[in-house]
C-alpha cells in the first residue's frame, strides 16, 4: 500500500514523546552477555536456506560533524584503515564458513565514513568479501558516501566493484548551517555526484537530510529541499536531529540558543512531507521517501516492505550478518553485536578470534510481537488471521493488555481495530512508533524512555 499521511498538529504534539525506532524488536537495550559466540553459531544454522545480507561498518572519519551520534573514530592517518582491514579479514575468515551455502543478495557499507578508504583499500575489502561469500549476480549493493573528500572518479571504482546503490550524507545545503555543524561541503559537487551516478547506471541514489540543526529555519530548509528535488534522487531520508549533548560529547559544541524552537522543527517536518509528496515522492514511513518507481516504494505498495538495523529494506527474507566494530547481526531468531570500542574489537579478535560480545535470543512471544510491529511500521496495517494461524492464538485474548494501551489511539481516531485487522489511518502514520510501543512488552517492564529519541 502507499501511505498518504495526514497532519494533525494537536495529536502530534500530544504524542511527541520518546520512543524506539524499531529497527529491531526487542531493541538493542535487551542485548546481554548471556548470548555468546556459541549461540551465534547455532543461530546461523537455524534457517540455512535464507539468503544473506552483509553489513560492513567502517568507523573512520576525517573530520568530526558536531551533530553526529554514530560510532566513529576521527583520524587523518590512512594507515589505521589498513590495520582495521587486517582485523576485518580475521573476522570474515572466522564467520564466513557458517554461511558457506548462503547467497548474498544485499550488501551495505556504513560508518563512520566508508569512503574514508582509499581506492586500493576499497578494492581490497571488496575482493575479500567476494572471496569468502557467494554473491548473487543481481542484488542490492550499497555504500554510504561523504562527498567532502572524494574525487568524482570514485564512483567509477565503486561501480567496477559491484556497487549499484549509493547514499550521500548532505544534511543541509545552507552554508551557515554547514559551518556551525562543522560539515562544509561543495554543493555543486554533490549535484555532480548524483548526475554521474545516474550516468553510470547506479540503480538508486539516496540523499540524507537532517531537520532541527542549529541555525535552520523553515525557509532555509525549504531552499535545501528545492535543491534536492531538482537532482531527482530516487530516495530521501529526512531525519530528526536529536540534541543529546549529555550522551554525545561532540554535540556540546553546538549552542542551545542556535537550535530551532520545537514549533519550528515541527513546521520543517510538516512542510517537508507536504512538499516532497507534492513533488511526486511516496512517503515510506517515519523519515523516508522514495520515487514511485523505486523498489522501496514498489515494495510498500505490494506489502513487501521490511525493516532491520539498516532501516527500511526490500530484502526481508534475508539473515543479516554485521561485520566490523559495533556491527549488529540478525541471524535466525537472534541478534548479536560486536564490541563497540575499537581497541576491544581488536583485542578480542587477537585473543578469541571473533569480536562478538552481546546478543539476544528471541522467544516465541518476541517473534510474534516482532512480526506485528514490523508489519505495522512498514505497511501501517496488520491482518489478524495470519498471526492467529501462525502462532495459534486468538488475537484479542493474547494482546488484551496491549489493546488497552492502544485504546487511546483508537479513541483519538489514529487507529481502527476490527475483528479482522488493525489499521493505522493517515493521520496516525507519523505516530507509528508510539502505536507500536503499545505492543512492546519489554518497554513496559522497565521505563527507559529517556534512552530514545522523540518520535518527531
Amino acid at each position: 500500500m502507499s501511505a498518504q499521511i495526514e497532519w494533525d498538529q494537536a495529536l502530534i504534539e500530544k504524542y511527541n514523546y520518546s520512543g524506539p525506532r524499531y529497527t529491531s524488536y526487542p531493541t538493542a537495550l535487551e542485548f546481554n552477555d548471556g548470548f555468546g559466540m556459541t549461540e551465534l553459531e547455532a543461530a546461523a544454522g537455524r534457517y540455512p536456506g535464507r539468503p544473506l545480507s552483509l553489513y560492513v561498518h567502517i568507523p573512520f572519519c576525517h573530520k568530526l560533524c558536531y551533530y553526529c551520534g554514530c560510532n566513529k573514530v576521527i583520524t587523518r592517518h590512512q594507515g589505521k584503515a589498513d590495520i582495521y582491514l587486517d582485523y576485518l579479514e580475521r573476522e570474515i575468515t572466522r564467520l564466513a564458513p557458517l554461511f558457506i551455502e548462503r547467497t548474498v543478495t544485499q550488501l551495505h557499507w556504513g560508518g563512520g565514513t566508508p569512503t574514508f578508504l582509499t581506492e586500493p583499500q576499497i578494492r581490497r575489502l571488496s575482493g575479500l568479501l567476494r572471496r569468502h561469500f557467494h554473491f548473487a549476480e543481481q542484488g542490492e549493493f550499497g555504500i554510504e558516501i561523504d562527498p567532502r573528500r572524494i574525487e568524482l572518479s570514485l564512483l567509477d571504482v565503486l561501480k567496477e566493484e559491484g556497487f549499484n546503490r549509493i547514499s550521500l550524507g548532505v544534511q543541509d545545503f545552507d552554508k551557515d548551517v554547514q559551518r556551525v555543524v562543522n560539515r562544509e561541503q561543495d554543493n555543486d559537487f554533490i549535484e555532480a555526484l548524483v548526475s554521474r551516478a545516474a550516468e553510470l547506471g547506479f540503480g538508486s541514489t539516496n540523499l540524507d537530510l537532517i531537520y532541527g540543526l542549529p541555525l535552520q529555519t523553515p525557509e532555509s530548509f525549504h531552499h535545501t529541499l528545492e535543491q534536492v528535488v531538482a537532482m531527482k534522487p530516487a530516495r530521501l531520508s529526512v531525519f530528526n536531529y536529536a540534541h543529546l549533548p549529555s550522551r554525545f560529547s561532540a554535540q556540546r559544541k553546538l549552542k542551545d540558543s542556535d537550535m530551532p524552537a520545537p514549533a519550528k522543527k515541527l513546521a520543517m517536518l510538516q512542510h517537508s512531507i507536504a512538499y516532497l509528496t507534492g513533488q511526486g515522492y511516496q512517503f515510506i514511513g517515519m523519515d523516508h521517501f522514495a520515487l514511485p518507481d523505486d523498489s522501496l516504494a514498489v515494495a510498500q505498495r505490494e506489502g513487501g516492505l521490511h525493516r532491520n538495523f539498516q532501516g527500511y529494506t526490500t530484502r526481508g527474507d534475508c539473515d543479516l550478518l554485521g561485520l566490523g566494530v559495533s556491527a549488529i547481526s540478525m541471524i535466525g531468531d537472534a541478534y548479536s553485536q560486536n564490541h563497540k570500542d575499537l581497541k576491544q574489537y581488536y583485542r578480542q579478535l587477537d585473543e578469541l578470534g571473533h569480536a562478538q560480545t552481546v546478543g539476544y535470543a528471541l522467544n516465541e512471544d518476541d517473534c510474534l510481537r516482532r512480526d506485528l510491529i514490523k508489519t505495522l511500521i512498514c505497511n501501517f496495517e496488520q491482518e489478524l488471521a495470519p498471526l492467529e494461524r501462525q502462532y495459534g492464538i486468538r488475537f484479542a485474548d493474547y494482546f488484551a493488555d496491549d489493546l488497552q494501551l492502544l485504546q487511546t489511539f483508537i479513541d483519538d481516531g489514529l487507529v481502527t481495530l476490527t475483528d479482522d485487522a488493525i489499521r493505522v489511518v493517515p493521520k496516525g502514520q507519523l505516530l507509528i512508533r508510539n502505536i507500536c510501543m503499545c505492543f512492546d512488552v519489554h518497554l513496559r517492564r522497565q521505563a527507559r524512555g529517556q534512552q530514545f529519541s522523540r518520535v518527531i
Side-chain angles (χ1 to χ4, degrees):
M1 61 171 290
S2 173
Q4 297 298 322
I5 69 171
E6 187 179 306
W7 188 275
D8 188 310
Q9 184 79 17
L11 290 176
I12 286 171
E13 291 178 0
K14 174 181 178 179
Y15 290 108
N16 190 18
Y17 46 78
S18 300
R21 297 184 62 80
Y22 290 117
T23 51
S24 73
Y25 178 85
T27 72
L29 290 176
E30 302 303 325
F31 294 2
N32 61 80
D33 59 10
F35 184 100
M37 191 62 192
T38 300
E39 287 74 21
L40 177 59
E41 290 173 336
R46 179 153 192 187
Y47 302 112
R50 281 184 181 173
L52 191 63
S53 173
L54 294 178
Y55 172 77
V56 184
H57 189 80
I58 308 297
F60 305 108
C61 295
H62 287 105
K63 193 174 182 180
L64 178 65
C65 301
Y66 295 157
Y67 58 81
C68 185
C70 298
N71 186 294
K72 73 276 184 185
V73 175
I74 309 301
T75 181
R76 296 181 182 274
H77 300 290
Q78 205 66 44
K80 289 188 176 182
D82 288 314
I83 297 170
Y84 185 70
L85 293 181
D86 290 341
Y87 279 89
L88 258 183
E89 183 167 4
R90 292 193 204 177
E91 185 184 5
I92 291 167
T93 302
R94 171 69 174 83
L95 293 176
L98 300 176
F99 304 93
I100 192 80
E101 302 296 330
R102 310 276 197 116
T103 298
V104 176
T105 60
Q106 187 179 53
L107 169 71
H108 186 80
W109 293 14
T113 304
T115 51
F116 178 94
L117 300 181
T118 62
E119 177 183 337
Q121 289 168 339
I122 288 172
R123 293 191 187 278
R124 175 189 173 188
L125 178 54
S126 180
L128 179 64
L129 291 169
R130 291 183 180 275
R131 283 196 304 275
H132 285 274
F133 296 97
H134 173 66
F135 279 75
E137 289 189 15
Q138 300 294 324
E140 291 190 356
F141 308 128
I143 184 171
E144 296 171 12
I145 293 176
D146 182 343
R148 290 174 296 174
R149 293 178 62 95
I150 63 170
E151 301 292 334
L152 197 60
S153 59
L154 180 67
L155 289 180
D156 296 75
V157 174
L158 297 177
K159 186 69 176 175
E160 290 170 12
E161 292 303 318
F163 290 99
N164 53 29
R165 295 178 180 271
I166 60 171
S167 181
L168 300 177
V170 173
Q171 323 318 350
D172 197 300
F173 278 123
D174 186 273
K175 290 300 181 184
D176 291 334
V177 175
Q178 290 178 6
R179 278 191 289 273
V180 78
V181 300
N182 202 37
R183 191 186 174 89
E184 295 180 66
Q185 53 200 5
D186 185 338
N187 296 350
D188 291 337
F189 182 65
I190 293 171
E191 185 175 353
L193 279 170
V194 174
S195 177
R196 181 60 178 158
E199 291 174 6
L200 289 171
F202 280 84
S204 180
T205 295
N206 174 79
L207 298 188
D208 284 344
L209 304 177
I210 299 177
Y211 70 94
L213 291 173
L215 303 185
Q216 280 181 337
T217 66
E219 294 75 22
S220 72
F221 199 62
H222 171 71
H223 187 51
T224 287
L225 292 173
E226 286 183 320
Q227 294 177 74
V228 166
V229 168
M231 300 180 198
K232 294 185 172 57
R235 299 179 184 178
L236 284 170
S237 302
V238 186
F239 295 109
N240 166 34
Y241 170 60
H243 190 54
L244 302 168
S246 62
R247 288 183 58 193
F248 305 115
S249 59
Q251 294 185 359
R252 296 169 198 161
K253 297 179 180 292
L254 303 177
K255 298 178 182 177
D256 290 345
S257 58
D258 286 338
M259 299 296 163
K264 296 288 187 182
K265 280 188 70 174
L266 283 179
M268 288 181 216
L269 176 61
Q270 182 180 15
H271 177 72
S272 297
I273 294 168
Y275 181 72
L276 293 173
T277 54
Q279 294 294 316
Y281 283 87
Q282 180 174 315
F283 175 71
I284 301 300
M286 291 168 57
D287 33 38
H288 285 68
F289 301 81
L291 290 175
D293 60 350
D294 185 80
S295 60
L296 209 59
V298 173
Q300 185 182 60
R301 292 196 301 273
E302 296 178 349
L305 191 65
H306 296 271
R307 189 163 173 82
N308 61 22
F309 292 104
Q310 297 171 35
Y312 289 105
T313 176
T314 62
R315 306 278 170 161
D317 57 339
C318 293
D319 274 351
L320 169 64
L321 175 62
L323 300 164
V325 62
S326 79
I328 299 177
S329 300
M330 185 167 61
I331 305 294
D333 291 323
Y335 304 123
S336 177
Q337 184 169 26
N338 285 347
H339 272 292
K340 295 180 181 180
D341 179 79
L342 187 60
K343 290 181 179 179
Q344 288 183 310
Y345 172 79
Y346 289 161
R347 184 181 303 116
Q348 187 166 310
L349 276 163
D350 283 335
E351 295 175 356
L352 300 179
H354 68 83
Q356 193 281 336
T357 180
V358 293
Y360 184 88
L362 282 72
N363 59 34
E364 188 172 31
D365 178 73
D366 292 325
C367 292
L368 167 57
R369 293 174 185 274
R370 177 190 60 185
D371 290 351
L372 172 58
I373 287 172
K374 183 183 74 171
T375 301
L376 287 176
I377 213 163
C378 289
N379 301 321
F380 299 114
E381 63 181 28
Q382 170 71 64
E383 299 290 336
L384 304 188
L387 280 182
E388 292 180 326
R389 285 195 301 270
Q390 181 177 353
Y391 289 97
I393 63 166
R394 183 174 180 273
F395 191 90
D397 294 338
Y398 192 94
F399 289 105
D401 293 341
D402 312 83
L403 295 177
Q404 289 182 21
L405 297 174
L406 188 68
Q407 190 62 46
T408 181
F409 296 94
I410 296 172
D411 294 341
D412 280 337
L414 302 174
V415 177
T416 63
L417 175 63
T418 66
D419 292 338
D420 300 319
I422 297 174
R423 291 186 173 86
V424 182
V425 304
K427 69 178 180 179
Q429 289 171 6
L430 271 178
L431 298 166
I432 187 62
R433 290 163 67 182
N434 308 71
I435 293 163
C436 289
M437 287 163 67
C438 296
F439 299 96
D440 187 340
V441 69
H442 293 277
L443 195 66
R444 293 207 294 275
R445 287 174 184 154
Q446 194 171 127
R448 288 168 162 174
Q450 72 277 7
Q451 298 194 43
F452 300 113
S453 63
R454 284 182 176 270
V455 299
I456 301 295

